[in-house]
Amino acid sequence: MSGERAGGAGFRAVLAALAAALAGALALSAATGPVPVSLGGLVDALLRGGEDTPARVVLSLRLPRAILGMLVGGALASSGAAFQALLRNPLADPYILGVSGGAAVGALAATLFLPAGASAVLPACAFLGAALSALAVFLLARRGGGVSPERLILMGVVVGAFLNAVIMLMVSLSPPGRIPGALYWLMGDLGQGTPKRVAVLLPYVAGGSLALFLLSRGLDLLLLGEREAFHAGLDIERVKAAAYLTASLLAGSVVAVSGLIGFVGLIVPHGARALVGSAHRRLLPAAFLMGAAFLVLSDVIARTASPSGELPVGAVTAFAGAPFFLFLLRRGGGRA
Amino acid sequence: MNPALSARGLVFRYGDREVLRGVGIDLYPGEVTVLLGPNGSGKSTLIGVLSGSLVPAAGEALLFGRPARSYPRREMARRLSSVGQSLPMDFPMTVEEYVALGRYAHRGLFGGATREDRERVEGALDMAGLACLRERPLSGISAGERQRAVVARAIAQGGDVMLFDEPTAFLDLRHRVAFHEVVARLAGRRGAAVLVASHDLSLCAEYGARVVLLSEGREAAHGSPEEVLTPENIRAAYGVSVACDRNPATGAVRVTPLRSEGVREGS
């Protein structure tokens, strides 16, 4: 299969370029901010640690935030790629099946009903909300021992609409002053990047991304439609359930620590497809690296673009990302 | 000789519409069976039931004497490959990547491609005349080329039983002939039991050893092309008058539709 070999070399080059872009983005993120850090200082801080201010800023503030951006961006892009294959819908993203609404309800409930000091449990509540709504959509869409993409999307829309109503009710009935924090959280924010949060998130992202990668040939077949996948020998219901739950878990876990960051999970998979094609053994690693680099860079822009404070990173992803990915998609149009 | 795939009394309903009303069929190793019948006569449904993707209300398909649905998915796909009518394609995938997916059941979820996998994919691309299109995206080739890609996927998958649902609908004459040549080789050399659903009566008579004619969910006739392709059978099934004679060059049955009396009177 000469195509696989020739494509393999090109694929490795693309992967290396994306990895280099991610490393560059991480370094830029660690070096950028109110306290200037030179490249030498950065290397110094990384290798030797140290107690001077630049080293502490890099190690305890900026690097955790950059790594959080990497994990969140990579997880969103992987999850989005999986949902697009699973639902056979190029417009699918990680939030399409109720994960976002569930997470928002969980986060708002934590903000409204728990004492003010309990913000540490907000991620756990958001994760619980996301997991419950994803599970509800899956169970509602099941019929006759199987789920169809059409029913999943339908149930996702219905559950999402219901959760939106709950969100509006919570916002309008809550005492003033408690909501702005939660609303800002909804816009997406990587400011929660403490070493502890990163450590909590890491196993979810690593495990979820690996599990999706192991499902990649099944996802390839699902792209062809269920009948084709069935004829090729795929146990379609098991693969769909595994991919759905894994992709939802990935999305729910990153939403819990970073809020709702749009665009990455929708568009980055298409950008990665334009570079490496639709085979998921290539697409998933490429999408992870591209999403990670993209979100880290977007966060650098969000932190530095405005002198009056941070912008929501979710706004930056769409604002800065749309032109870039439009270019990529038009250029890669030959493959699509 | 025992049939590779055998079914009796198949009944299938979509809602309360009965599409198969007690159909039986036997497919023998090394033999090409042609499935004929008008639109809506149940050909695709029969192929769906035989391939295990549709569950019949009554009756059962037996693959080598065992209920087809009792096979684990992957083992089933190694023994039986099936080609449907449509191929939706909204995502970029090259012809070669697509054909290689036919090896899924042989490769497993994690395993890489073996030498045999590569040879099978290569052979399938060659047989379908797609070697020069391998790098092209599925969305960027013609409907006929895509249909050949689907056939190539099934050839790469292989198996003792191969089911094709109208595989030549979009093909030009040259590729229709090429398809039937390929199928004859699969049956002759690999000993596959092949079922081809088609509307091309004469070409099927040329290549098919056995013909099954479906009409309104029932078997209207089965046997050799000479036995099945008679003016009476075809009028009963299709409602069309035809003349059946022998092709002087090959000796195979030749079916020629006759213009209806109304048209002839008017002309």
Side-chain angles (χ1 to χ4, degrees), chain A residues 1-57:
Chain A
M1 210 150 57
S2 65
E4 193 154 298
R5 278 197 298 274
F11 167 65
R12 278 192 289 276
V14 169
L15 216 57
L18 288 173
L22 175 60
L26 287 171
L28 183 68
S29 179
T32 309
V35 178
V37 178
S38 68
L39 198 60
L42 195 63
V43 173
D44 224 41
L46 286 180
L47 293 182
R48 282 197 280 278
E51 284 303 306
D52 55 330
T53 311
R56 289 227 314 274
V57 165

Side-chain angles (χ1 to χ4, degrees), chain A residues 37 47 78 113 123 128 140 150 163 182 185 237 241 255 289 292 309 322:
Chain A
V37 178
L47 293 182
S78 306
F113 302 129
L128 196 66
L140 285 169
E150 294 77 19
L163 292 172
W185 177 86
E237 293 308 331
V255 165
L289 290 175

Side-chain angles (χ1 to χ4, degrees), chain B residues 2 6 24 38-39 61-62 77 83 89 107 132 135 140 157 161 184 199 247 257 261-262 266:
Chain B
N2 289 325
S6 165
N39 298 138
L62 299 176
V83 164
M89 206 56 248
R107 289 170 68 171
C132 53
E135 296 291 335
Q157 188 173 337
V161 178
H199 289 300
N247 185 321
E261 275 93 46

Side-chain angles (χ1 to χ4, degrees), chain A residues 1-3 84 88-90 214 217 220-221 223-224 227-228 230-235 273 278-279 281 334-336, chain B residues 48 51-53 73-74 77 82 88 91-92 96 98 101 104-105 107-111 118 135 137 139 150 153 157:
Chain A
M1 210 150 57
S2 65
Q84 286 166 6
R88 238 171 306 131
N89 189 331
L214 293 178
R217 203 168 293 138
D220 290 349
L221 282 167
L223 275 186
L224 302 174
R227 211 166 153 148
E228 282 263 325
F230 176 88
H231 288 319
L234 188 68
D235 194 338
R273 263 189 215 101
S278 286
R281 284 167 82 90
R335 289 196 74 133
Chain B
S51 70
S53 67
R73 267 313 313 141
R74 298 156 77 62
S82 173
F91 291 89
E96 179 170 351
Y98 170 70
L101 288 180
Y104 172 81
R107 289 170 68 171
L109 218 46
F110 314 129
R118 292 199 191 93
E135 296 291 335
S139 52
V150 182
R153 197 268 294 148
Q157 188 173 337

